[in-house]
Amino acid sequence: MTTPIPGQTLDDQLDPLTLAERWMADGRKVAVATVIETWGSAPRPVGSHLVIDADGNFSGSVSGGCVEGAVISEAAEVISSGEPKMLEFGVADETAWQVGLSCGGKIQVYLERIV
């Protein structure tokens, strides 16, 4: 049995994909965002996951906090429509000062609803 770290729930300590399975077993609609490619200095490696439910609860990370808000916003539409999305974030695009990677890297994230 895992002992929770003070200040964290057991959900905070689970692998994001394990947590996604748990949320789905509870009847929640879930999307998973996966870092599929990085360029330059990226805060999280390829294969990193962020899971989001229809209520906006989330766990995991695709960028260490730089773009999670944007990914969570896009997840609501993906959960609703069932259509996956490819998202790209970097410091060089026009949204760099709104949503971007301050480290100068670039990431590509695949966002899909899990059924």
Side-chain angles (χ1 to χ4, degrees):
M1 180 171 176
T2 303
T3 303
I5 296 171
Q8 290 187 337
T9 67
L10 184 57
D11 283 354
D12 293 332
Q13 298 174 40
L14 291 176
D15 172 80
L17 298 181
T18 301
L19 183 59
E21 286 182 330
R22 181 177 285 188
W23 285 355
M24 290 175 58
D26 291 342
R28 296 156 90 172
K29 294 181 179 176
V30 177
V32 173
T34 305
V35 176
I36 62 167
E37 193 163 5
T38 66
W39 296 267
S41 177
R44 301 285 294 155
V46 169
S48 297
H49 298 288
L50 175 69
V51 298
I52 309 103
D53 75 3
D55 293 328
N57 297 299
F58 64 96
S59 183
S61 176
V62 292
S63 72
C66 301
V67 301
E68 269 71 6
V71 174
I72 291 165
S73 293
E74 294 287 339
E77 184 179 325
V78 168
I79 289 171
S80 174
S81 72
E83 294 296 318
K85 286 188 171 187
M86 190 71 72
L87 308 172
E88 223 173 86
F89 300 97
V91 75
D93 64 35
E94 64 274 359
T95 61
W97 300 109
Q98 299 168 0
V99 176
L101 300 176
S102 58
C103 56
K106 188 173 169 184
I107 61 172
Q108 191 169 39
V109 176
Y110 184 70
L111 180 61
E112 61 187 326
R113 184 174 77 183
I114 304 299
V115 290

